[in-house]
Amino acid sequence: NYQVSPPQRSRTPVSLIGRLGTRGDFDALRCHGQRARSGPLQLQFLASVSTPGSTRVGYAIGRSVGNAVIRNRTRRRLRAIMTDLSSSESLLPYGDYLIRVQPAASQATFTELKDWTQTMLSDLKAHS
């Protein structure tokens, strides 16, 4: 009786960022959120009232950006950028964010996406 133990999996890091999920969340951001734009990205922010102490992010990436592979790659890049920025002081404290992506973002490098995101967050901080 030879038994093989299951392979050890590395633990995934716990993210401090939640996801927007309901249509009401997106509608509230669209109607009441502060806006900033940089390059082919638009950021909307709404301070959290219903869930204080949490940060949630949603991504609006339409089919005009590209096929599913391109849209998913863009989303993964933006998610990594937001996770990285959440550990710094770049994110506004606690609230909901919606990142809208225009087609030109599909051709951008990771560094360009990060620069545009930081610019938008800086603009929001300056106006709040």
Side-chain angles (χ1 to χ4, degrees):
N1 289 356
Y2 181 75
Q3 292 182 340
V4 177
S5 61
Q8 295 294 321
R9 294 185 184 193
S10 63
R11 290 187 173 188
T12 57
V14 176
S15 177
L16 301 174
I17 297 178
R19 294 183 182 177
L20 292 175
T22 66
R23 181 162 185 99
D25 295 335
F26 286 91
D27 289 343
L29 272 164
R30 190 182 67 238
C31 294
H32 305 293
Q34 296 175 322
R35 290 179 173 86
R37 179 181 289 273
S38 182
L41 301 178
Q42 179 184 0
L43 180 73
Q44 292 177 268
F45 169 76
L46 183 62
S48 180
V49 177
S50 60
T51 54
S54 69
T55 300
R56 300 183 307 169
V57 181
Y59 304 92
I61 306 174
R63 288 185 180 165
S64 63
V65 173
N67 63 26
V69 172
I70 292 170
R71 293 192 312 267
N72 289 332
R73 182 181 62 213
T74 304
R75 183 178 296 107
R76 283 192 307 271
R77 287 178 171 180
L78 289 169
R79 198 174 284 148
I81 289 166
M82 291 299 284
T83 300
D84 183 43
L85 294 176
S86 71
S87 61
S88 69
E89 297 298 319
S90 299
L91 282 180
L92 293 173
Y94 312 126
D96 294 342
Y97 297 85
L98 176 62
I99 299 177
R100 294 179 182 271
V101 179
Q102 299 298 318
S106 66
Q107 303 299 318
T109 64
F110 184 85
T111 304
E112 289 172 326
L113 289 173
K114 188 169 185 175
D115 290 344
W116 291 327
T117 304
Q118 287 177 320
T119 300
M120 291 184 303
L121 291 169
S122 297
D123 289 350
L124 282 178
K125 269 190 168 179
H127 291 101
S128 60

